[in-house]
Amino acid sequence: MNKLGILVSQLYKQKIRSKSFILMTLLYIAIISVVMFWTEISSLFKGEDEALQIALIKETDVNLGQIFVSNEEIEFSYHTKDVKTNMYEQVKDGTLDAVIVFSDENKNLKAEIATFSPLELNDQSEISSLIQYAGKIYAIQSMNLSAQEAEQILNSEPIITSISLNEAGTEGKSEDQKQSGIWVSYLVGIVIYFFISAFLSMITTDVASEKGSRALEMLLVSVKPSTHFQSKLFGVFLLALTQFAILFGVIFALLRFTDGGTKWDMVTSLVQDLSYSYVFYVIVFLFLTIFLFLIIGALFGSLVSKVEEAGQVMMPAIMITLVGFYVMISGMANPDTLLIKIFSYIPLTSGMVMPMRIAATDLNTIEPIISLILLIVTVIAFYTLSLSFYKRSVLTYSSGGVIQKIKSVLKFTT
Amino acid sequence: MTLAIEHVVKRYKDFTAVKDLNFTIDQGEIFGLIGQNGAGKTTTFRMILNLQEPTSGKITWDGSPINSINRDWLGYLPEERGIFPQMKVEEQLYFFGKLRGMKQEEIKKEVDFWIHRFELDEKRHDKAETLSKGNQQKVQLIASFIHKPKFLILDEPFSGLDPVNRDLLKDAILLLKEQGMTILFSSHQMDNVEELCDHLCLLKRGVSLFSGSLLDLKKQYGKTKLTIRTDMQKEELVKMVGVKEVKQERDEYVLTLIDESFAKGIFDVVAKGQFIEKFSLDYLSLDEIFKDQVGGDNE
């Protein structure tokens, strides 16, 4: 094995067995499992709750039976207006959670909700939507329409189609596609953000600790600084790939082998919705962005004199990832803003922002390609520059901020 | 001659770390590079190790430029102590051996030998960060020569070691020399340099004040250190011809002479033809020469 291979394998073996890597991976798996099985988990907790008891009292002629149907969470009972006072007493002593009295007011349905302790937001909204529906039915009933006419009003939904008059352009995405694109891109953004933060910190600390402990000086007698730099980059990148593969494997297994594969079917249809080129772009952007940040991390790690200073030099890079992350979050509300467009081209943030534009907006195919080329060019430029700078910075020990440290390196090596 | 440093200069933007340095080291010898902090020792080591480029001048090994030789011929112990804190002692030595192109069996043989010799048997499975400073230094030292380099550079190898470990290290250096290794080392402790070195170079602010054999350096000063035990008073000794300085050390006087030729006259006066308990004429110790050469204007 050549020296690069020995260094990479030593770093890889050491890190993959480290408690922090194992804990980080387990934590991700736990989070993924909780997110994927949220409905099952929440029902576990909800299962023990008793259903809400709600009494419905009609003071006007309205058909409620088909609308207010009891389920696991709410149980409705129907009463006449003469038991109203009795019902109120039951609310006060806790037998009932609420009483809803329906009456007529200027041919509109009026519903008065009486409670002793306020209802939870979820229950409130569910009951409100049921009452609104009942209100519509009541209005239709009062117009004396035929059953078909009533049906037509209730079920009417506009048919929306869009066509592109630009012959050269591609067909626009439907709103549904854009919505799912936003959510998937949000998840992708989070993954990129967490991966960058974790591995940036890992490489910076590792280089800083070797430099601080002077182990680096002993290594550099045997290997070139460029080989050492590459070993850190490839070793940590390999770890990132390993963690990605583990998490991807876990997600795949969970989707494929639980619930009889229904979740897997959902995901495949979602991916088809988003197109395979989207998946390709996400993966390429993810790994190139991680690689770019690793270059920066190794370079910054080589600037410090001791490991305690690693946090200080990492700050600028962490800030950039945070900016990218928040710009991406802002795209959740509106992915078509100028801010999003600009950040989707900046190489350090494009990995987080561009996937959202690809999935949630109708952009020209050339745009992600330009952004990707910019990212690739930046990675190559940073890599080349860093190789020569790293050679000079690893053996220069200086104090002060990042700028001061860079100045010292230039002063002592030129 | 194996290593040759010729007219080497290392200049930074606003200061010169090494000015026109010249010395040579023969194969199998121990060479000492001595000087105060900031004299340019570490910069010189780094230039030899090709970690820094000289501004001008050349460094050659057996006639070939130093940057063209096999890196595994070199071994280096940096001045600052440090190894991989999270790695176990044995793991650490195996890693360095492997990196230097050694085979597993060779590494095992060397690791077993040196761990035992440096009395680290009980620590071989401990993490480096749990070891005492002295033990960490021993591990780092083994790591620097585990691959049996042709040329070993030790930057301040004795600092931080207790007397017992210092002797262990001294014996180890002599053993490595016997095996044919060429060794260049720096030290602030002149007694170590005096005991081990065949040749040395005295550096002051990047300038070489002397380069050559230890004996030649001492001969430059001559035998001017006279130690006597006598009933005479200090005042009487100071007045004698050829005496530069007198110091009292317990029941003895240490006289610094202007020249060794004055010793006989002093003997005649002090002994007066009678028995005298102690009259010893010596070369100056390296420590005294060092202080004379670089002292006086300490930063």
Side-chain angles (χ1 to χ4, degrees):
Chain A
M1 202 189 291
N2 63 13
K3 294 194 179 192
L4 178 65
I6 294 170
L7 287 176
V8 169
S9 92
Q10 188 264 335
L11 172 74
Y12 185 78
K13 279 185 203 156
Q14 187 200 339
K15 293 287 173 197
I16 208 155
R17 286 182 304 196
S18 71
K19 284 186 196 114
S20 58
F21 182 81
I22 295 169
L23 282 176
M24 200 160 79
T25 313
L26 288 176
L27 186 70
Y28 284 152
I29 291 175
I31 293 172
I32 291 167
S33 310
V34 168
V35 170
M36 286 176 66
F37 294 102
W38 182 243
T39 38
E40 285 84 347
I41 292 168
S42 62
S43 70
L44 267 181
F45 290 100
K46 275 189 182 164
E48 288 168 16
D49 286 350
E50 281 181 15
L52 275 185
Q53 297 293 330
I54 294 178
L56 307 174
I57 297 174
K58 291 196 282 185
E59 288 185 346
T60 178
D61 185 28
V62 55
N63 185 7
L64 300 176
Q66 287 174 347
I67 302 164
F68 292 87
V69 182
S70 298
N71 57 29
E72 282 176 3
E73 280 154 24
I74 308 178
E75 204 175 310
F76 297 105
S77 53
Y78 300 90
H79 306 273
T80 47
K81 57 184 173 183
D82 41 314
V83 292
K84 192 167 151 185
T85 333
N86 181 19
M87 292 290 117
Y88 280 167
E89 285 306 315
Q90 286 193 32
V91 172
K92 281 183 197 165
D93 67 27
T95 323
L96 285 174
D97 294 293
V99 173
I100 308 175
V101 181
F102 293 92
S103 56
D104 183 278
E105 193 173 289
N106 303 327
K107 291 192 176 173
N108 268 333
L109 186 68
K110 182 186 171 192
E112 183 189 80
I113 306 168
T115 58
F116 187 73
S117 46
L119 294 174
E120 284 177 13
L121 180 63
N122 256 347
D123 301 325
Q124 257 179 350
S125 357
E126 191 177 340
I127 291 167
S128 298
S129 65
L130 290 175
I131 293 172
Q132 270 174 13
Y133 192 64
K136 278 186 190 167
I137 302 272
Y138 186 72
I140 292 166
Q141 274 178 350
S142 63
M143 286 175 195
N144 292 324
L145 299 174
S146 69
Q148 284 94 336
E149 284 168 333
E151 184 87 355
Q152 206 177 345
I153 290 176
L154 282 171
N155 295 333
S156 78
E157 244 186 66
I159 302 155
I160 305 171
T161 54
S162 42
I163 52 159
S164 171
L165 297 178
N166 176 3
E167 284 172 12
T170 47
E171 264 182 52
K173 295 184 179 77
S174 71
E175 197 194 331
D176 272 358
Q177 280 177 320
K178 286 181 181 174
Q179 272 307 329
S180 53
I182 285 184
W183 282 103
V184 171
S185 308
Y186 175 60
L187 289 176
V188 168
I190 291 179
V191 169
I192 294 189
Y193 174 71
F194 277 109
F195 263 67
I196 289 172
S197 309
F199 291 102
L200 173 79
S201 151
M202 183 188 280
I203 197 166
T204 312
T205 320
D206 198 63
V207 174
S209 126
E210 268 182 27
K211 189 182 171 191
S213 73
R214 304 298 199 274
L216 193 54
E217 291 193 31
M218 291 186 69
L219 286 179
L220 291 184
V221 176
S222 163
V223 297
K224 288 183 190 152
S226 54
T227 311
H228 185 260
F229 180 72
Q230 287 161 340
S231 77
K232 292 292 164 202
L233 274 185
F234 299 141
V236 177
F237 191 65
L238 214 56
L239 271 174
L241 284 177
T242 308
Q243 193 171 61
F244 186 80
I246 293 172
L247 297 181
F248 196 78
V250 168
I251 293 174
F252 177 79
L254 286 176
L255 290 172
R256 200 86 177 84
F257 304 113
T258 57
D259 280 355
T262 47
K263 285 186 170 129
W264 175 250
D265 295 339
M266 267 169 61
V267 171
T268 43
S269 72
L270 187 67
V271 170
Q272 272 161 5
D273 230 15
L274 290 167
S275 86
Y276 287 100
S277 72
Y278 174 75
V279 178
F280 164 79
Y281 275 121
V282 163
I283 292 174
V284 174
F285 269 110
L286 170 73
F287 288 114
L288 279 177
T289 310
I290 291 175
F291 199 71
L292 180 59
F293 273 95
L294 288 185
I295 295 173
I296 296 173
L299 193 62
F300 280 5
S302 75
L303 283 173
V304 304
S305 302
K306 45 183 187 276
V307 68
E308 291 81 0
E309 293 173 356
Q312 179 199 347
V313 290
M314 248 189 296
M315 270 314 282
I318 295 274
M319 291 306 287
I320 294 171
T321 58
L322 264 178
V323 168
F325 185 67
Y326 280 109
V327 169
M328 185 274 292
I329 295 261
S330 80
M332 295 280 296
N334 180 4
D336 291 295
T337 59
L338 183 64
L339 186 76
I340 297 271
K341 276 183 191 157
I342 293 171
F343 276 86
S344 69
Y345 285 105
I346 298 175
L348 292 161
T349 57
S350 58
M352 274 179 272
V353 184
M354 194 42 122
M356 173 155 289
R357 284 196 65 206
I358 300 172
T361 63
D362 297 308
L363 83 172
N364 202 315
T365 25
I366 195 74
E367 290 189 60
I369 295 174
I370 292 173
S371 172
L372 194 61
I373 290 172
L374 273 176
L375 182 59
I376 294 170
V377 169
T378 312
V379 167
I380 295 170
F382 264 57
Y383 181 76
T384 321
L385 282 175
S386 300
L387 270 183
S388 89
F389 193 79
Y390 189 83
K391 186 183 171 189
R392 308 189 313 181
S393 61
V394 278
L395 290 173
T396 309
Y397 299 89
S398 59
S399 54
V402 180
I403 305 289
Q404 188 60 39
K405 284 177 197 300
I406 292 172
K407 276 187 189 165
S408 301
V409 171
L410 296 176
K411 182 178 161 191
F412 285 106
T413 54
T414 47
Chain B
M1 123 190 72
T2 303
L3 182 89
I5 296 206
E6 294 166 78
H7 304 293
V8 166
V9 175
K10 180 67 194 175
R11 204 175 295 119
Y12 296 115
K13 257 185 187 163
D14 47 10
F15 76 99
T16 306
V18 174
K19 293 172 201 157
D20 196 30
L21 187 64
N22 292 283
F23 64 81
T24 56
I25 308 177
D26 286 330
Q27 207 224 317
E29 82 167 348
I30 303 180
F31 191 97
L33 192 61
I34 56 177
Q36 290 167 296
N37 295 329
K41 300 185 297 273
T42 303
T43 308
T44 306
F45 290 157
R46 285 183 175 178
M47 287 191 289
I48 296 172
L49 294 165
N50 196 28
L51 298 176
Q52 283 181 344
E53 298 247 333
T55 312
S56 63
K58 62 177 184 177
I59 304 174
T60 53
W61 177 266
D62 277 341
S64 316
I66 195 84
N67 53 16
S68 67
I69 67 162
N70 183 346
R71 312 295 302 156
D72 293 332
W73 290 356
L74 302 169
Y76 177 48
L77 174 81
E79 181 180 5
E80 301 273 349
R81 299 292 161 250
I83 28 182
F84 294 101
Q86 293 292 318
M87 270 164 104
K88 289 175 185 161
V89 169
E90 198 182 64
E91 214 180 327
Q92 193 124 213
L93 298 174
Y94 271 84
F95 168 64
F96 276 104
K98 207 171 153 193
L99 194 65
R100 297 312 204 119
M102 291 172 83
K103 293 199 180 88
Q104 196 76 0
E105 314 86 70
E106 281 177 275
I107 305 177
K108 189 181 177 321
K109 202 178 118 206
E110 290 298 315
V111 167
D112 289 347
F113 175 79
W114 287 109
I115 278 194
H116 184 65
R117 185 156 182 135
F118 277 116
E119 298 166 357
L120 289 166
D121 300 84
E122 288 169 15
K123 310 277 181 195
R124 64 192 296 161
H125 300 298
D126 290 1
K127 274 189 180 174
E129 62 185 355
T130 64
L131 302 183
S132 69
K133 227 175 159 184
N135 280 338
Q136 284 194 22
Q137 192 174 337
K138 288 196 271 183
V139 176
Q140 192 186 11
L141 185 79
I142 301 173
S144 71
F145 60 67
I146 186 89
H147 59 297
K148 293 188 173 172
K150 289 188 176 185
F151 182 44
L152 176 63
I153 296 181
L154 306 171
D155 201 352
E156 296 291 343
F158 295 100
S159 69
L161 287 182
D162 60 46
V164 177
N165 281 318
R166 208 174 297 161
D167 285 346
L168 276 175
L169 173 58
K170 228 180 277 177
D171 292 344
I173 291 177
L174 290 171
L175 180 70
L176 294 172
K177 183 192 171 183
E178 268 174 40
Q179 292 174 353
M181 214 176 276
T182 307
I183 300 166
L184 168 63
F185 82 98
S186 71
S187 180
H188 286 126
Q189 284 138 323
M190 297 303 149
D191 49 341
N192 296 321
V193 180
E194 208 158 350
E195 276 177 70
L196 293 169
C197 290
D198 307 304
H199 290 87
L200 56 87
C201 174
L202 194 60
L203 271 183
K204 183 180 180 182
R205 289 191 195 148
V207 178
S208 164
L209 300 178
F210 173 84
S211 177
S213 84
L214 183 59
L215 195 62
D216 286 344
L217 177 64
K218 290 196 166 193
K219 277 182 182 166
Q220 274 188 7
Y221 280 80
K223 290 178 183 162
T224 53
K225 183 182 173 185
L226 178 62
T227 312
I228 54 176
R229 195 171 293 139
T230 171
D231 295 333
M232 288 175 75
Q233 295 301 304
K234 191 178 174 184
E235 291 72 28
E236 295 173 75
L237 294 171
V238 174
K239 284 177 193 157
M240 280 196 274
V241 181
V243 174
K244 200 157 92 178
E245 194 187 6
V246 178
K247 274 186 208 159
Q248 188 166 6
E249 287 180 0
R250 290 180 295 275
D251 60 340
E252 294 176 351
Y253 293 105
V254 180
L255 282 66
T256 309
L257 307 185
I258 294 166
D259 188 89
E260 65 180 75
S261 58
F262 293 103
K264 194 172 177 315
I266 294 170
F267 181 80
D268 292 341
V269 176
V270 175
K272 294 173 194 134
Q274 301 291 308
F275 168 77
I276 181 164
E277 208 176 333
K278 184 168 186 180
F279 188 96
S280 164
L281 184 64
D282 282 312
Y283 288 115
L284 288 181
S285 71
L286 185 58
D287 195 43
E288 287 156 325
I289 296 175
F290 180 74
K291 280 179 191 154
D292 181 66
Q293 292 264 349
V294 302
D297 57 345
N298 280 355
E299 292 101 320

